[in-house]
Amino acid sequence: AAAAAAGVSAVVRPPPDEPSPPPAAVTCLAIWDHVTCDPEELAFSCGDVIEVVNSEDKNWWLGRLHHRQGWFPTAFVQDSQDSEAGREKVGMIEKLRKRALCIKELLHTERTYLMLLQQLIQFYQDAFEKSRCVKPSESVAIFCNIHEIYQFHKLLLTRLESCAVSDVRPESRFHEWEISRVFRDVDRIIELYSAYCNNHQLALQTLRTMQNSKAFCHLLEKCRKKHGTNLTLDSFLLSPIQKICRYQLQLSEILKNTPSSHSDFDNLRRTTDTMKNAVFTINEKRRSSDRDLLNHKSVLSAINKATEEQAALISRGSEKRKSRKLFRRFLSNPSI
C-alpha cells in the first residue's frame, strides 16, 4: 500500500517452484525362484516385485527387495510394466512348479511303496512259507497275490522313471514329464487290487486265529525284529489298499496343475477319470465281498447255534432215558 501511495508499481514475484516428484522406481517381476548362498546376490521367489537399482549390465542387475540389496540374473525376471502379461506368466510358472512337485512326490511314494512290498515279501511271506507252524493255505490267505502286485509295481516304476526328459539329469524338469502313459494298464490294476482288497478281511481273520498259537506269535515277533520296525503285519497288509486310493488323489492334483496347453493334458485327464472309475469298481467289489463274508459268517453262526442246541437236546434226552431206565429198575427191584 505504501509503494502504491508513492507511485511505485509493486513487484510481483512468481510463487516458489514446487519440488518435482522423484522419478518412479524401475521395477521388475520375478518369474523364477532365485536361490543363492552368495551374500552379494539377491535371493527372491517367483512373483516378487524387485526394485532395480542398477541395470547397466545386461546379464546381472543390482536390485533391492525387503530392505535387502544384491545382484541377480536378468534371465530370472521380466519387465513389470507389462504387469498383466507378466502375472499371467507367473501364474503359469507357479502352476508348472506345483506340477513338478506333485510328480516328484509321486516318484518318491512309488519307490517307497515298492520297498515296502519287497520287505513284506522278504521278512514275512518268505519266513511264513519256510515255517512249519504255518500251513501253505494259511500263508496264501494272509498274503493273497502280494507277489504279483510287487512285480506289477516294479514295471510301473520303470515306466515312471522312463518319463525323464534329460539323460544328463534324469530327475529334473518334472513339469515336462508325460505320466499318463504310466497308468495305461488300468484293467490289470483293477484285477490285482480287486483280488487283494476282497481277500483283506479273510487275511485279518486268518491272522487273528493263528495268533492263538504261541509258536506263531514267536514267529511274528522274530520277523518284526529282523525287519527292525514297530510296524505290525496288519499295517503292512493295509498298505496296498491305501495305495490304490492314493493314486486317484495324486493324479487329480497333477491334472489340476497341468495347463491345458501341456502336451500331456488330454491324456492325463482321461487317465485320471479312468483311475477314479477303477477305484470305484475296486471299492464296490470289496463291499460286495465283505457282505458275502458277513453272510457266510451269519450262516456259520446259525449252523453252530443249531448244532449246539441239537447236542443239548440229545444230551437232555439221553439223561431222561437214563432216569427212566433207573426208575424202571427201581420198580422191578425196590431193594435197590
Side-chain angles (χ1 to χ4, degrees), residues 77-283:
V77 299
Q78 179 175 302
D79 188 356
S80 62
Q81 290 180 354
D82 188 6
S83 58
E84 186 175 352
R87 295 199 179 278
E88 283 182 6
K89 189 171 183 179
V90 168
M92 176 73 73
I93 291 170
E94 180 64 15
K95 210 171 189 181
L96 291 174
R97 187 182 70 84
K98 289 180 180 178
R99 184 180 200 269
L101 291 175
C102 291
I103 293 176
K104 190 175 181 180
E105 183 196 6
L106 176 65
L107 180 63
H108 172 72
T109 55
E110 195 60 34
R111 285 172 174 165
T112 303
Y113 178 58
L114 190 66
M115 186 183 299
L116 184 144
L117 292 176
Q118 184 180 14
Q119 291 171 349
L120 178 59
I121 294 170
Q122 179 182 352
F123 293 105
Y124 285 94
Q125 187 179 25
D126 290 350
F128 281 22
E129 290 176 352
K130 293 175 183 177
S131 176
R132 294 181 179 180
C133 67
V134 181
K135 299 176 184 176
S137 59
E138 292 172 332
S139 181
V140 171
I142 292 173
F143 298 104
C144 191
N145 60 342
I146 198 70
H147 201 275
E148 292 178 71
I149 292 176
Y150 170 69
Q151 293 298 332
F152 175 80
H153 280 275
K154 279 181 68 176
L155 176 62
L156 192 144
L157 179 59
T158 302
R159 286 181 190 163
L160 186 57
E161 291 173 337
S162 69
C163 292
V165 294
S166 172
D167 295 331
V168 180
R169 294 181 61 199
E171 294 190 24
S172 63
R173 294 160 59 188
F174 287 107
H175 62 282
E176 296 181 28
W177 286 28
E178 297 181 1
I179 63 164
S180 58
R181 55 194 174 93
V182 175
F183 298 92
R184 59 178 179 260
D185 292 340
V186 175
D187 291 341
R188 181 60 173 158
I189 292 176
I190 294 175
E191 177 189 351
L192 289 172
Y193 279 91
S194 292
Y196 185 87
C197 294
N198 293 349
N199 183 78
H200 186 245
Q201 288 300 323
L202 177 62
L204 296 182
Q205 182 180 337
T206 304
L207 194 58
R208 282 194 293 267
T209 302
M210 294 177 68
Q211 284 174 335
N212 293 325
S213 164
K214 289 184 178 179
F216 180 73
C217 290
H218 178 72
L219 174 64
L220 266 182
E221 183 63 16
K222 184 179 178 181
C223 292
R224 189 190 65 79
K225 286 183 177 179
K226 191 174 182 181
H227 179 235
T229 181
N230 291 326
L231 278 178
T232 62
L233 181 54
D234 298 41
S235 301
F236 272 107
L237 296 175
L238 184 61
S239 296
I241 297 175
Q242 295 173 329
K243 180 63 176 177
I244 193 60
C245 296
R246 193 173 184 182
Y247 273 139
Q248 174 187 343
L249 300 175
Q250 287 178 313
L251 289 176
S252 296
E253 192 64 22
I254 294 171
L255 178 63
K256 175 184 171 183
N257 291 290
T258 301
S260 57
S261 58
H262 197 283
S263 58
D264 198 33
F265 180 79
D266 291 332
N267 290 332
L268 182 60
R269 182 171 57 182
R270 285 191 289 269
T271 299
T272 304
D273 290 340
T274 305
M275 184 59 72
K276 286 179 182 178
N277 293 332
V279 172
F280 177 80
T281 301
I282 291 169
N283 284 334

Side-chain angles (χ1 to χ4, degrees), residues 15-82:
D17 293 337
E18 293 183 2
S20 57
V26 179
T27 58
C28 59
L29 185 68
I31 58 175
W32 297 101
D33 292 344
H34 181 231
V35 181
T36 178
C37 295
D38 191 331
E40 293 186 359
E41 292 185 16
L42 183 67
F44 50 77
S45 302
C46 178
D48 285 340
V49 177
I50 305 162
E51 180 185 347
V52 179
V53 179
N54 186 321
S55 59
E56 293 178 1
D57 189 278
K58 66 176 183 179
N59 295 318
W60 286 85
W61 288 354
L62 183 65
R64 186 180 295 115
L65 176 68
H66 304 317
H67 308 293
R68 292 180 293 106
Q69 184 169 300
W71 296 94
F72 61 90
T74 57
F76 283 58
V77 299
Q78 179 175 302
D79 188 356
S80 62
Q81 290 180 354
D82 188 6

Side-chain angles (χ1 to χ4, degrees), residues 287-311:
R287 291 189 190 99
S288 177
S289 177
D290 289 347
R291 285 194 296 269
D292 292 342
L293 184 61
L294 184 62
N295 292 335
H296 181 65
K297 285 182 178 179
S298 300
V299 171
L300 286 179
S301 178
I303 292 173
N304 290 335
K305 186 176 180 181
T307 304
E308 290 173 359
E309 290 176 352
Q310 186 176 9

